[in-house]
Amino acid sequence: MNRKQIVETVEQHKAVAVLRFPRADQFEPIFEALREGGIKVLEITMTVPNALKLIEKAAKMAPTDMVVGAGSVIDREAVRQTVGAGAEFIVSPIVKEEVIEESQKLGKAVMPGAFTPTEIQSAWEAGADIVKVFPADILGMAFFKAVKAPLPHLKLMPTGGVSLTNVNEWIAAGACAVGIGSSLVDKKALAEGNYEQIRINAETLIKNINEG
C-alpha cells in the first residue's frame, strides 16, 4: 500500500489495535484472536520483547486486508528498522521531526503523538498523516470538539481512555480513528491465557463501530 491507502485504511476501519504484552510467545495467539475478531489495523509497539521480529512475523501472517504498523517509535533509526521489518505505518508518543521525515522518505504513514493544540498543529504542519492525541484520557472528548472547531482540517486519533463501548463517542467528538490497547487486549485475559476473551473483545469493538 502507498501512504494514502494506508491512511484511508485506518480511517475506514476506525480502530488501531495497540499491542503491548510482556512475553513474545503471546504474540501469535493474540494476533489470531484479533484477526478472527475482525481487527484490520494492528500496531506492535517497540516496548514489546523482540518487537522487530514480531512486526516481521505479523507482516507475513497478515491477510491482504490487514495493515501492520509499529508504535512507540522515537527516532530515525527505529523508523528504518521497523519499516525494514514490514511496518506500513509509524506511531510515536511524541512529535519528533526526524521520525516524520524518515517515515515520509520511506513512503509510510506517520502518526506522531501530541497533547496541546499547538503541538497538534505543529505535528500536522510537519507532515503528520494523523495526529495521535496522547494521553487522550486526560484531555477527554470535550477537548476534541474544542480543537476541531477552529482546526477542522486535522485528523486526530485518541489513544488512552478508549474502550470497547465508547469508541463511537470519540468518533462523534471528532476522531478519525481511535487507538485502543488495554481495553482490547486486557491484562486479566493475558494473564489467564484467555485468548477467546480477546477475540470476543475484538468482535464487540468492531460491532460497536459498525453499528455506530
Side-chain angles (χ1 to χ4, degrees):
M1 290 187 184
N2 62 36
R3 192 170 150 201
K4 180 182 177 184
Q5 290 170 323
I6 295 164
V7 175
E8 287 174 348
T9 299
V10 173
E11 291 184 288
Q12 175 188 349
H13 295 291
K14 301 196 182 308
V16 178
V18 182
L19 298 195
R20 298 182 193 277
F21 46 90
R23 301 195 327 264
D25 64 346
Q26 295 173 305
F27 168 71
E28 287 194 33
I30 293 172
F31 178 92
E32 289 301 333
L34 294 175
R35 183 188 61 79
E36 290 174 10
I39 294 296
K40 300 297 184 183
V41 186
L42 197 68
E43 173 192 332
I44 300 172
T45 67
M46 289 296 282
T47 57
V48 172
N50 298 317
L52 290 175
K53 289 183 179 179
L54 296 184
I55 291 168
E56 185 175 6
K57 182 179 286 189
K60 290 176 180 176
M61 292 172 62
T64 55
D65 61 348
M66 178 184 278
V67 179
V68 176
S72 301
V73 176
I74 59 172
D75 57 41
R76 189 185 302 274
E77 182 57 28
V79 175
R80 292 171 180 160
Q81 290 175 339
T82 53
V83 170
E88 294 286 356
F89 63 90
I90 301 298
V91 183
S92 180
I94 57 175
V95 179
K96 200 167 183 180
E97 288 194 11
E98 68 180 69
V99 170
I100 298 172
E101 290 170 358
E102 193 65 22
S103 299
Q104 289 179 324
K105 178 182 174 182
L106 297 174
K108 304 305 177 184
V110 60
M111 308 173 197
F115 190 72
T116 68
T118 299
E119 284 182 340
I120 292 168
Q121 179 62 24
S122 296
W124 185 260
E125 291 177 5
D129 294 289
I130 295 172
V131 181
K132 167 184 170 176
V133 180
F134 171 80
D137 53 335
I138 294 173
L139 297 167
M141 298 173 195
F143 176 83
F144 271 62
K145 292 179 181 179
V147 170
K148 287 281 286 188
L151 302 168
H153 57 280
L154 294 171
K155 293 183 180 182
L156 304 179
M157 181 179 75
T159 301
V162 179
S163 71
L164 303 178
T165 54
N166 73 7
V167 56
N168 288 321
E169 295 174 53
W170 283 105
I171 292 168
C176 71
V178 300
I180 180 167
S182 58
S183 295
L184 185 61
V185 184
D186 64 82
K187 291 181 180 179
K188 185 173 184 291
L190 275 182
E192 295 173 352
N194 187 358
Y195 301 106
E196 174 64 11
Q197 184 60 55
I198 294 172
R199 183 191 66 78
I200 292 169
N201 290 349
E203 286 186 345
T204 300
L205 175 67
I206 300 304
K207 181 174 181 286
N208 288 334
I209 289 172
N210 290 339
E211 290 180 352

